[in-house]
Structure formats: C-alpha cells, structure tokens
Amino acid sequence: AIMDCQGALDLLAGRTGGSVHLGAVSTAKYFVPHAIAAFSKRYPKIEIKLTIGNREEIREAMHGYDLDFAVMGRPPADVTVDVRQLGRNPHIIVARKGHWLEKDSGLNLTDLVHETFLTREPGSGTRTLMEGMFQRSDLEPIIGMEMSSNETIKQAVIAGLGIAFISAHTVAHELTEGRLIVLDVAGLPIVRQWYVIRRSDKVLLPPAQAMFDFLGSEGSNYLPDVPELGGR
C-alpha cells in the first residue's frame, strides 16, 4: 500500500506521466482549452485527450467508460454522476451590427417571431434551451439554417442571414469587437451552469482526479468575459 501511495503521489506531483480523457460539449470549446493549458503548465507530464461533441454525443460517451469526465450544461439524467459546478453560462440573442432592432430596448419574444433564427442541430443543449424558451411563450420561431457549429452560426449572423440564441461565451470576442450585438429581450439572459461531470462508478486515477478537482475549483477563471453582461 505504501508503494501505491508513493506512486499516486509521484503521479500527482507530475514526476510521472499519466493521461486524462475529457469530453466537452462544443459550446465549451471557447474556454476548456485555456483551462487545459493552465493545468498542463502545472502538470506538464500528464497527457490530455479532448473529445468535443454536442450534448447528445457527450451524453452517449458518458455511457461508456472511455471519458474520465465531461464539461457540459445539464447533467445527463440517465447516468449516476458526481458533479462539480464550474460557473455561469448566460444565453443571449445576438444580431449583426446595424440590425433594425439594435436600438430597441425591452423587446419581447413576440417581437422576434418574424425574424429568422440560425440554430444548432437537434441534440444540442443550446437548441433544446431555445426551443423550451419559445414553447413557454407558446411561440414558434422561424428556423432558417441548422448548423453543427457555433462558429458557422456566428459568421452567418454577421453576414446578415438571421439572428441567433447562443451562449454568450461563444460570442464574447465578436461582441467586444462590435461585429455582433446583444438584442435587449425580456427574460434574457437565460443563465445556466457549466458543470464538470463524471460517472459515480468510474474510479478516476490521480491525474484525472487532479484535473477534475482543478476544473471544479479554478475552471471558472477561464470563462470568457462578456462585455454587455458585466464580466463573468
């Protein structure tokens, strides 16, 4: 047992390697790499593998034991998990600079029923959240194009193809640059949480445990600042 303990300490001290396999929903890819970089500085010998997918894909991956843990919004309902809160994830509606509703304040969802929404594919957490928001108001959004990446949605909104309901963390950069604007809509932002999630029955080796703890305690430091929403 003493050897085991020493081996574990060596792993933690970064004297020996080890590997960690984490998953992240695609919306989280705007901050997860920054957190990984900070962790790697501390533990340079630990090899890290990152798998990105939509909510549905990461939920599926959690069913196997490949992933040590995942960064996502709502924890999956069908697996028993341990959860660490990582920080707030505000969702907003963005439009291109110069959009005709740019100067309007106090808009309602009803004011947006004639707008075209560019949206993620079904199975994405952002898409599910948007659908729930409209359903609660008994409204039906006009869906323009479905896209599997937030990057493409941003470019399409900037090009004037429509507006989008999106995590503020994915557009922090474009808001700062003034290429996108936040529409002032009642009830928004909808604030969800980011979580680090692992299967309760998955035993984490020291490197994975160290990273799980790191994300749980320091992960929020790597969330992008959103100018319109007053920081993190």
Side-chain angles (χ1 to χ4, degrees), residues 23-41:
V25 293
S26 43
T27 300
K29 72 167 185 261
Y30 292 88
F31 67 88
V32 167
H34 299 289
I36 290 174
F39 179 81
S40 288
K41 271 207 185 91

Side-chain angles (χ1 to χ4, degrees), residues 49-123:
K49 182 180 178 199
L50 173 63
T51 296
I52 300 277
N54 71 16
R55 180 186 155 72
E56 216 33 57
E57 290 160 342
I58 296 297
R59 191 182 69 81
E60 274 304 305
M62 292 288 285
H63 278 247
Y65 289 88
D66 294 351
L67 291 183
D68 288 313
F69 53 84
V71 175
M72 64 196 304
R74 240 165 354 115
D78 52 357
V79 192
T80 311
V81 292
D82 290 344
V83 172
R84 295 279 173 88
Q85 206 159 305
L86 199 150
R88 298 163 77 247
N89 180 16
H91 288 74
I92 54 182
I93 292 177
V94 294
R96 71 181 292 184
K97 180 98 189 113
H99 186 277
W100 71 288
L101 292 172
E102 179 176 359
K103 303 276 187 284
D104 290 20
S105 56
L107 294 165
N108 282 303
L109 277 186
T110 33
D111 298 316
L112 304 179
V113 291
H114 301 298
E115 296 295 314
T116 301
F117 277 83
L118 308 173
T119 179
R120 290 282 305 280
E121 75 288 359

